[in-house]
Amino acid sequence: LTAFSPLFLRAVRTFIWIAPAAKNIYEQQYQMAGFISRYYAGGAVAANDIGMINYYADIDCLDILGLASREVARLRLSGEYDAESLGRLARTKKARISLVYEKWLDESTGIPPEWIKVGSWTILRNVSCGDETVSFYAIGRAEEKTLSDNLREFSPMLPADVIEDGKYLY
């Protein structure tokens, strides 16, 4: 009986987290996918959490962590991956925007200097997403107004608990 207690505790903890985890996925991942599908379908996007946006949206996705983009993986393996090389790859792919967990990039490469932060969405009580905040960057000045307009238009469709921040709100 004692041997099974860690498994029992893990099962109880998992059961308790099911509802909050599903809420997190809906509030962040599902909304990101809806946003991308609505405004950037058929285009190129850079992101570091690519699952649901690729499932729901027909996009050319640059995976800035390198799991699904060989160019990034090669640069990471060679030790040549930094903000400059990431920016260059995004331009080469013709990515218009990037959706990132900033903490993930800060730990590895940093944000390319030509990326312009337009806004962010934060979820409460995160138990399942890569980070509680996803940030939206325009890749270059030419995309800044369009991304801002798109985020503003999409804003009323977000769940009430999602905390929005950024210049698109003003």
Side-chain angles (χ1 to χ4, degrees):
L1 187 63
T2 305
F4 291 108
S5 65
L7 295 174
F8 176 75
L9 291 174
R10 184 174 180 188
V12 168
R13 199 172 324 125
T14 300
F15 182 75
I16 291 170
W17 284 352
I18 288 174
K23 185 175 190 274
N24 291 162
I25 296 299
Y26 174 73
E27 289 177 337
Q28 187 184 83
Q29 303 292 305
Y30 187 76
Q31 301 309 317
M32 290 166 49
F35 178 78
I36 295 299
S37 181
R38 182 180 188 111
Y39 299 104
Y40 296 93
V45 171
N48 59 2
D49 195 342
I50 65 168
M52 196 170 284
I53 66 171
N54 274 288
Y55 184 79
Y56 280 102
D58 178 25
I59 56 171
D60 181 12
C61 187
L62 174 64
D63 176 5
I64 59 181
L65 289 182
L67 297 174
S69 295
R70 288 185 185 164
E71 310 96 317
V72 174
R74 284 188 193 109
L75 287 169
R76 289 177 72 101
L77 288 171
S78 69
E80 299 172 20
Y81 191 57
D82 57 15
E84 184 180 317
S85 63
L86 173 56
R88 189 172 49 253
L89 277 175
R91 285 189 306 277
T92 300
K93 282 276 200 182
K94 296 184 177 27
R96 295 170 52 198
I97 68 166
S98 181
L99 290 75
V100 298
Y101 298 137
E102 289 177 351
K103 291 176 190 172
W104 290 16
L105 278 183
D106 289 345
E107 293 169 3
S108 59
T109 64
I111 305 290
E114 68 273 16
W115 290 15
I116 303 154
K117 186 173 181 178
V118 175
S120 64
W121 297 341
T122 300
I123 58 173
L124 303 173
R125 295 174 288 286
N126 179 34
V127 297
S128 62
C129 293
D131 192 19
E132 63 275 355
T133 300
V134 60
S135 297
F136 294 80
Y137 284 84
I139 299 180
R141 287 267 172 233
E143 187 61 31
E144 185 177 9
K145 182 179 181 333
T146 302
L147 176 56
S148 186
D149 291 346
N150 292 344
L151 284 167
R152 193 175 311 104
E153 183 179 298
F154 194 80
S155 179
M157 293 179 253
L158 288 172
D161 286 348
V162 174
I163 301 165
E164 299 177 81
D165 189 32
K167 54 182 159 183
Y168 77 94
L169 295 170
Y170 310 107

